Amino acid sequence: MSDIQAAEACANCGGESSDAVKLRYCTACRLVKYCSVGCQKSHRKQHKKACKKRAAELKDERLYNQGHERPEGDFCPICTLPIPIPMNEHSAFMVCCIKRVCFGCSLAAQKRGMFDCPFCRTPMPRDGTELAMVQKRVDAKDAAALKFLGDQYYYGYNGLLKNVQRAIELWREAAELGSINAHFELGNKFDSGEGVIQDKAKAVQHWEMAAIQGDIESRNSLGVNEINNGNYERAVKHFLIAAKMGNEVALGNVNKMFANGLATREQYAEALKGFQDSVDEMHSQERDEGTTVCRDVQREEIAREIANRNRES
Protein backbone atom coordinates (compact mmCIF):
# COMPACT_ATOMS: atom_id res chain seq x y z
CA MET A 1 0.00 0.00 0.00
CA SER A 2 1.41 3.41 -0.97
CA ASP A 3 1.83 6.29 1.51
CA ILE A 4 -1.03 8.14 -0.17
CA GLN A 5 -3.33 5.12 0.11
CA ALA A 6 -2.28 4.57 3.73
CA ALA A 7 -3.11 8.18 4.57
CA GLU A 8 -6.63 7.68 3.17
CA ALA A 9 -7.38 4.78 5.54
CA CYS A 10 -7.57 4.60 9.32
CA ALA A 11 -4.12 3.59 10.58
CA ASN A 12 -5.69 1.33 13.19
CA CYS A 13 -8.67 -0.46 11.67
CA GLY A 14 -8.07 0.21 7.96
CA GLY A 15 -11.47 1.80 7.51
CA GLU A 16 -11.71 4.16 4.54
CA SER A 17 -13.16 7.62 4.44
CA SER A 18 -16.83 7.93 3.48
CA ASP A 19 -19.79 10.26 3.87
CA ALA A 20 -20.43 8.67 7.24
CA VAL A 21 -16.80 8.37 8.39
CA LYS A 22 -14.42 11.32 8.32
CA LEU A 23 -10.73 10.53 8.77
CA ARG A 24 -8.67 12.99 10.77
CA TYR A 25 -4.90 13.38 10.85
CA CYS A 26 -2.83 12.78 13.97
CA THR A 27 -2.38 16.43 14.89
CA ALA A 28 1.17 15.92 16.23
CA CYS A 29 2.78 14.35 13.15
CA ARG A 30 0.18 14.39 10.35
CA LEU A 31 1.59 11.09 9.11
CA VAL A 32 -1.53 8.98 9.62
CA LYS A 33 -5.29 9.34 9.91
CA TYR A 34 -7.88 7.87 12.24
CA CYS A 35 -11.60 7.31 12.01
CA SER A 36 -12.22 7.82 15.72
CA VAL A 37 -10.63 8.77 19.02
CA GLY A 38 -10.88 5.12 20.04
CA CYS A 39 -8.81 3.97 17.06
CA GLN A 40 -6.23 6.66 17.78
CA LYS A 41 -5.89 5.50 21.38
CA SER A 42 -5.64 1.85 20.35
CA HIS A 43 -2.90 2.67 17.84
CA ARG A 44 -0.94 5.00 20.14
CA LYS A 45 1.65 2.47 21.35
CA GLN A 46 2.44 1.30 17.83
CA HIS A 47 2.56 4.84 16.41
CA LYS A 48 4.29 6.65 19.30
CA LYS A 49 7.91 6.36 18.11
CA ALA A 50 7.27 7.48 14.53
CA CYS A 51 4.94 10.23 15.75
CA LYS A 52 7.47 11.64 18.17
CA LYS A 53 10.21 11.62 15.53
CA ARG A 54 8.09 13.35 12.89
CA ALA A 55 6.69 15.87 15.39
CA ALA A 56 10.25 16.87 16.29
CA GLU A 57 11.10 17.24 12.60
CA LEU A 58 8.07 19.45 11.99
CA LYS A 59 8.96 21.59 15.00
CA ASP A 60 12.50 22.09 13.72
CA GLU A 61 11.25 22.93 10.23
CA ARG A 62 9.07 25.63 11.72
CA LEU A 63 11.77 26.85 14.09
CA TYR A 64 14.51 27.20 11.47
CA ASN A 65 12.39 28.17 8.46
CA GLN A 66 10.31 30.89 10.11
CA GLY A 67 11.29 34.14 11.78
CA HIS A 68 13.87 35.27 9.20
CA GLU A 69 12.19 38.66 8.88
CA ARG A 70 11.98 41.17 11.72
CA PRO A 71 8.51 41.90 13.15
CA GLU A 72 6.55 45.04 12.40
CA GLY A 73 7.46 46.64 15.73
CA ASP A 74 11.15 46.63 14.75
CA PHE A 75 10.52 49.08 11.90
CA CYS A 76 10.29 52.84 12.31
CA PRO A 77 6.70 53.75 11.32
CA ILE A 78 7.90 56.97 9.65
CA CYS A 79 10.87 56.02 7.46
CA THR A 80 9.77 52.33 7.43
CA LEU A 81 13.37 51.13 7.83
CA PRO A 82 14.31 48.43 10.36
CA ILE A 83 15.76 49.93 13.54
CA PRO A 84 19.39 49.00 14.34
CA ILE A 85 20.15 46.66 17.23
CA PRO A 86 19.97 47.30 20.16
CA MET A 87 16.84 49.27 19.38
CA ASN A 88 16.76 51.27 22.61
CA GLU A 89 20.06 52.87 21.58
CA HIS A 90 18.72 53.94 18.18
CA SER A 91 15.09 54.82 18.82
CA ALA A 92 12.57 56.14 21.34
CA PHE A 93 9.37 54.47 22.51
CA MET A 94 6.36 56.78 22.20
CA VAL A 95 3.89 56.08 24.99
CA CYS A 96 1.15 58.07 23.26
CA CYS A 97 0.85 55.76 20.25
CA ILE A 98 2.97 52.79 21.47
CA LYS A 99 5.31 53.15 18.50
CA ARG A 100 9.11 53.05 18.40
CA VAL A 101 10.49 55.90 16.26
CA CYS A 102 14.12 55.97 15.12
CA PHE A 103 16.29 58.86 16.28
CA GLY A 104 16.80 59.99 12.69
CA CYS A 105 13.09 60.66 12.22
CA SER A 106 12.81 62.25 15.68
CA LEU A 107 15.61 64.69 14.90
CA ALA A 108 14.22 65.44 11.44
CA ALA A 109 10.87 66.39 13.00
CA GLN A 110 12.55 68.65 15.54
CA LYS A 111 14.51 70.40 12.78
CA ARG A 112 11.15 71.24 11.20
CA GLY A 113 9.96 72.74 14.47
CA MET A 114 7.80 69.77 15.55
CA PHE A 115 8.48 68.80 19.15
CA ASP A 116 5.39 66.63 19.69
CA CYS A 117 5.35 62.91 18.95
CA PRO A 118 6.85 62.69 15.45
CA PHE A 119 4.37 59.95 14.50
CA CYS A 120 0.95 60.77 15.96
CA ARG A 121 1.60 64.47 16.82
CA THR A 122 0.40 64.06 20.40
CA PRO A 123 2.14 66.52 22.76
CA MET A 124 5.00 64.83 24.56
CA PRO A 125 4.03 63.75 28.11
CA ARG A 126 5.03 65.99 30.99
CA ASP A 127 6.49 64.62 34.21
CA GLY A 128 4.00 62.30 35.85
CA THR A 129 1.71 61.96 32.83
CA GLU A 130 3.58 59.21 30.96
CA LEU A 131 2.18 56.37 33.08
CA ALA A 132 -1.34 57.78 32.82
CA MET A 133 -1.11 57.68 29.02
CA VAL A 134 0.15 54.10 29.09
CA GLN A 135 -2.48 53.00 31.61
CA LYS A 136 -5.27 53.85 29.17
CA ARG A 137 -3.82 51.40 26.69
CA VAL A 138 -3.11 48.85 29.41
CA ASP A 139 -6.79 48.99 30.40
CA ALA A 140 -7.63 48.35 26.74
CA LYS A 141 -5.39 45.23 26.84
CA ASP A 142 -2.76 46.59 24.44
CA ALA A 143 0.07 44.02 24.45
CA ALA A 144 2.84 46.56 23.79
CA ALA A 145 1.56 48.83 26.57
CA LEU A 146 1.46 45.92 29.02
CA LYS A 147 5.03 45.02 28.10
CA PHE A 148 6.14 48.65 28.58
CA LEU A 149 4.45 48.92 31.99
CA GLY A 150 6.09 45.65 33.00
CA ASP A 151 9.46 47.14 32.10
CA GLN A 152 8.74 50.17 34.29
CA TYR A 153 8.01 47.93 37.28
CA TYR A 154 11.02 45.74 36.61
CA TYR A 155 13.49 48.63 36.51
CA GLY A 156 11.64 50.93 38.94
CA TYR A 157 11.22 53.73 36.39
CA ASN A 158 8.79 56.67 36.36
CA GLY A 159 8.49 56.80 40.13
CA LEU A 160 7.39 53.16 40.48
CA LEU A 161 8.93 50.94 43.11
CA LYS A 162 10.88 48.06 41.59
CA ASN A 163 8.55 45.05 41.62
CA VAL A 164 9.77 41.99 39.71
CA GLN A 165 6.66 39.93 40.45
CA ARG A 166 4.35 42.63 39.10
CA ALA A 167 6.58 42.97 36.02
CA ILE A 168 6.34 39.25 35.34
CA GLU A 169 2.55 39.32 35.73
CA LEU A 170 2.32 42.09 33.15
CA TRP A 171 4.75 40.35 30.79
CA ARG A 172 2.73 37.14 31.01
CA GLU A 173 -0.45 38.98 30.10
CA ALA A 174 1.35 40.77 27.27
CA ALA A 175 2.73 37.47 25.95
CA GLU A 176 -0.74 35.91 25.97
CA LEU A 177 -1.93 38.87 23.90
CA GLY A 178 0.88 38.39 21.38
CA SER A 179 3.84 40.47 22.60
CA ILE A 180 7.03 38.98 21.14
CA ASN A 181 9.23 41.06 23.44
CA ALA A 182 7.33 39.80 26.49
CA HIS A 183 8.11 36.22 25.46
CA PHE A 184 11.79 37.15 25.31
CA GLU A 185 11.73 38.67 28.80
CA LEU A 186 9.89 35.68 30.25
CA GLY A 187 12.43 33.37 28.63
CA ASN A 188 15.20 35.27 30.37
CA LYS A 189 13.50 35.04 33.75
CA PHE A 190 12.78 31.31 33.51
CA ASP A 191 16.37 30.78 32.39
CA SER A 192 17.84 32.66 35.36
CA GLY A 193 15.14 31.88 37.92
CA GLU A 194 14.62 35.55 38.77
CA GLY A 195 11.11 36.06 40.11
CA VAL A 196 10.03 32.56 39.03
CA ILE A 197 11.03 28.97 39.67
CA GLN A 198 13.92 28.29 37.30
CA ASP A 199 12.74 26.22 34.34
CA LYS A 200 15.10 25.93 31.37
CA ALA A 201 12.47 24.16 29.26
CA LYS A 202 9.97 27.00 29.73
CA ALA A 203 12.72 29.51 28.89
CA VAL A 204 13.31 27.75 25.58
CA GLN A 205 9.57 27.62 24.86
CA HIS A 206 9.25 31.39 25.29
CA TRP A 207 12.37 32.08 23.20
CA GLU A 208 11.14 29.76 20.45
CA MET A 209 7.73 31.47 20.41
CA ALA A 210 9.46 34.82 19.93
CA ALA A 211 12.14 33.60 17.50
CA ILE A 212 9.70 32.15 14.97
CA GLN A 213 8.07 35.59 14.88
CA GLY A 214 11.37 37.32 14.11
CA ASP A 215 12.80 38.27 17.52
CA ILE A 216 16.57 38.48 17.08
CA GLU A 217 17.57 38.40 20.73
CA SER A 218 15.49 35.28 21.38
CA ARG A 219 17.11 33.63 18.36
CA ASN A 220 20.55 34.39 19.75
CA SER A 221 19.53 33.07 23.18
CA LEU A 222 18.43 29.80 21.58
CA GLY A 223 21.86 29.52 19.96
CA VAL A 224 23.60 30.05 23.31
CA ASN A 225 21.34 27.43 24.89
CA GLU A 226 22.26 24.90 22.19
CA ILE A 227 25.96 25.59 22.73
CA ASN A 228 25.53 24.98 26.45
CA ASN A 229 23.90 21.65 25.58
CA GLY A 230 26.67 20.72 23.15
CA ASN A 231 24.44 20.95 20.06
CA TYR A 232 26.80 22.99 17.90
CA GLU A 233 25.12 22.42 14.52
CA ARG A 234 21.81 23.65 15.90
CA ALA A 235 23.54 26.59 17.58
CA VAL A 236 25.22 27.85 14.43
CA LYS A 237 21.88 27.69 12.56
CA HIS A 238 20.35 30.07 15.10
CA PHE A 239 23.35 32.40 15.07
CA LEU A 240 23.36 32.54 11.26
CA ILE A 241 19.71 33.61 11.20
CA ALA A 242 20.26 36.28 13.88
CA ALA A 243 23.45 37.60 12.27
CA LYS A 244 21.75 37.99 8.90
CA MET A 245 19.06 40.05 10.64
CA GLY A 246 21.62 42.49 12.02
CA ASN A 247 22.62 41.04 15.40
CA GLU A 248 26.31 41.77 15.98
CA VAL A 249 26.43 39.50 19.06
CA ALA A 250 25.29 36.54 16.96
CA LEU A 251 27.93 37.38 14.35
CA GLY A 252 30.55 37.36 17.11
CA ASN A 253 29.27 33.97 18.25
CA VAL A 254 29.69 32.51 14.76
CA ASN A 255 33.21 33.97 14.69
CA LYS A 256 34.05 32.28 18.00
CA MET A 257 32.63 28.98 16.81
CA PHE A 258 34.69 29.24 13.61
CA ALA A 259 37.84 29.99 15.64
CA ASN A 260 37.18 26.89 17.74
CA GLY A 261 36.48 24.63 14.79
CA LEU A 262 32.75 24.43 15.49
CA ALA A 263 31.63 26.36 12.41
CA THR A 264 32.98 26.35 8.87
CA ARG A 265 34.69 29.18 7.05
CA GLU A 266 31.74 29.24 4.65
CA GLN A 267 29.30 29.67 7.52
CA TYR A 268 31.27 32.57 8.97
CA ALA A 269 31.49 34.22 5.54
CA GLU A 270 27.75 33.76 5.10
CA ALA A 271 27.07 35.33 8.51
CA LEU A 272 29.43 38.24 7.83
CA LYS A 273 27.89 39.06 4.45
CA GLY A 274 24.34 38.74 5.76
CA PHE A 275 25.13 40.96 8.73
CA GLN A 276 26.68 43.66 6.55
CA ASP A 277 23.73 43.60 4.14
CA SER A 278 21.37 44.05 7.09
CA VAL A 279 23.42 46.93 8.53
CA ASP A 280 23.48 48.66 5.13
CA GLU A 281 19.68 48.38 4.94
CA MET A 282 19.28 50.07 8.34
CA HIS A 283 21.81 52.85 7.78
CA SER A 284 21.13 56.45 6.84
CA GLN A 285 22.97 59.76 7.39
CA GLU A 286 19.95 61.15 9.25
CA ARG A 287 20.00 58.21 11.63
CA ASP A 288 23.69 58.64 12.38
CA GLU A 289 23.15 62.29 13.26
CA GLY A 290 19.97 61.59 15.22
CA THR A 291 21.57 58.77 17.21
CA THR A 292 24.49 61.00 18.25
CA VAL A 293 22.21 63.81 19.43
CA CYS A 294 19.62 61.62 21.15
CA ARG A 295 22.20 59.51 22.95
CA ASP A 296 23.55 62.68 24.55
CA VAL A 297 20.02 63.52 25.70
CA GLN A 298 19.56 59.99 27.06
CA ARG A 299 22.79 60.22 29.05
CA GLU A 300 21.55 63.45 30.64
CA GLU A 301 18.22 61.85 31.53
CA ILE A 302 19.94 58.81 33.06
CA ALA A 303 22.24 61.09 35.07
CA ARG A 304 19.20 63.00 36.41
CA GLU A 305 17.45 59.73 37.30
CA ILE A 306 20.50 58.50 39.22
CA ALA A 307 20.82 61.84 41.01
CA ASN A 308 17.14 61.77 42.02
CA ARG A 309 17.47 58.24 43.38
CA ASN A 310 20.56 59.17 45.36
CA ARG A 311 18.70 62.10 46.93
CA GLU A 312 15.76 59.86 47.81
CA SER A 313 18.04 57.29 49.46
Side-chain angles (χ1 to χ4, degrees), residues 78 91-103 105-107 109-110 113-134 148 158 294 297 301:
I78 298 175
S91 63
F93 187 80
M94 302 296 162
V95 295
C96 45
C97 53
I98 314 296
K99 298 291 185 182
R100 186 169 284 280
V101 177
C102 76
F103 287 155
C105 288
S106 294
L107 183 62
Q110 291 173 19
M114 295 185 294
F115 295 92
D116 298 332
C117 171
F119 180 70
C120 71
R121 301 295 189 263
T122 299
M124 299 299 284
R126 300 182 300 276
D127 290 344
T129 63
E130 189 175 55
L131 286 180
M133 295 180 86
V134 172
F148 177 82
N158 281 309
C294 292
V297 173
E301 291 176 349

Side-chain angles (χ1 to χ4, degrees), residues 18-221:
S18 66
D19 291 339
V21 179
K22 299 297 182 184
L23 299 179
R24 288 180 171 80
Y25 274 112
C26 169
T27 55
C29 66
R30 300 191 66 79
L31 286 174
V32 295
K33 289 183 177 181
Y34 297 103
C35 63
S36 67
V37 174
C39 272
Q40 186 171 9
K41 288 181 177 179
S42 298
H43 194 247
R44 182 171 296 162
K45 186 175 180 180
Q46 181 181 343
H47 176 57
K48 184 177 180 180
K49 185 176 180 180
C51 181
K52 187 175 181 180
K53 181 176 181 293
R54 182 54 182 157
E57 291 172 350
L58 289 172
K59 180 183 176 183
D60 275 359
E61 286 177 13
R62 185 166 178 246
L63 180 61
Y64 291 112
N65 292 335
Q66 295 183 20
H68 291 218
E69 298 291 334
R70 294 176 65 180
E72 181 181 350
D74 283 12
F75 289 75
C76 174
I78 298 175
C79 65
T80 70
L81 292 175
I83 299 169
I85 305 296
M87 291 199 297
N88 64 333
E89 294 183 8
H90 298 272
S91 63
F93 187 80
M94 302 296 162
V95 295
C96 45
C97 53
I98 314 296
K99 298 291 185 182
R100 186 169 284 280
V101 177
C102 76
F103 287 155
C105 288
S106 294
L107 183 62
Q110 291 173 19
K111 285 183 175 180
R112 293 196 297 271
M114 295 185 294
F115 295 92
D116 298 332
C117 171
F119 180 70
C120 71
R121 301 295 189 263
T122 299
M124 299 299 284
R126 300 182 300 276
D127 290 344
T129 63
E130 189 175 55
L131 286 180
M133 295 180 86
V134 172
Q135 190 61 50
K136 290 181 180 179
R137 288 185 172 267
V138 168
D139 293 340
K141 302 301 180 183
D142 184 300
L146 285 159
K147 166 60 172 62
F148 177 82
L149 186 58
D151 293 348
Q152 306 311 294
Y153 274 106
Y154 180 76
Y155 292 106
Y157 287 163
N158 281 309
L160 294 173
L161 292 176
K162 182 179 174 69
N163 188 332
V164 175
Q165 291 297 331
R166 179 57 178 152
I168 290 172
E169 289 174 6
L170 289 163
W171 289 337
R172 277 179 165 155
E173 188 174 359
E176 290 172 359
L177 291 169
S179 170
I180 300 171
N181 295 326
H183 277 296
F184 171 67
E185 295 292 355
L186 290 169
N188 291 344
K189 298 302 164 281
F190 278 110
D191 183 59
S192 66
E194 183 186 8
V196 294
I197 297 173
Q198 188 177 42
D199 190 326
K200 298 285 187 178
K202 280 189 178 180
V204 170
Q205 288 173 6
H206 281 291
W207 287 333
E208 287 180 344
M209 187 68 72
I212 62 175
Q213 297 179 78
D215 186 66
I216 302 176
E217 292 181 292
S218 292
R219 181 70 70 177
N220 189 66
S221 295

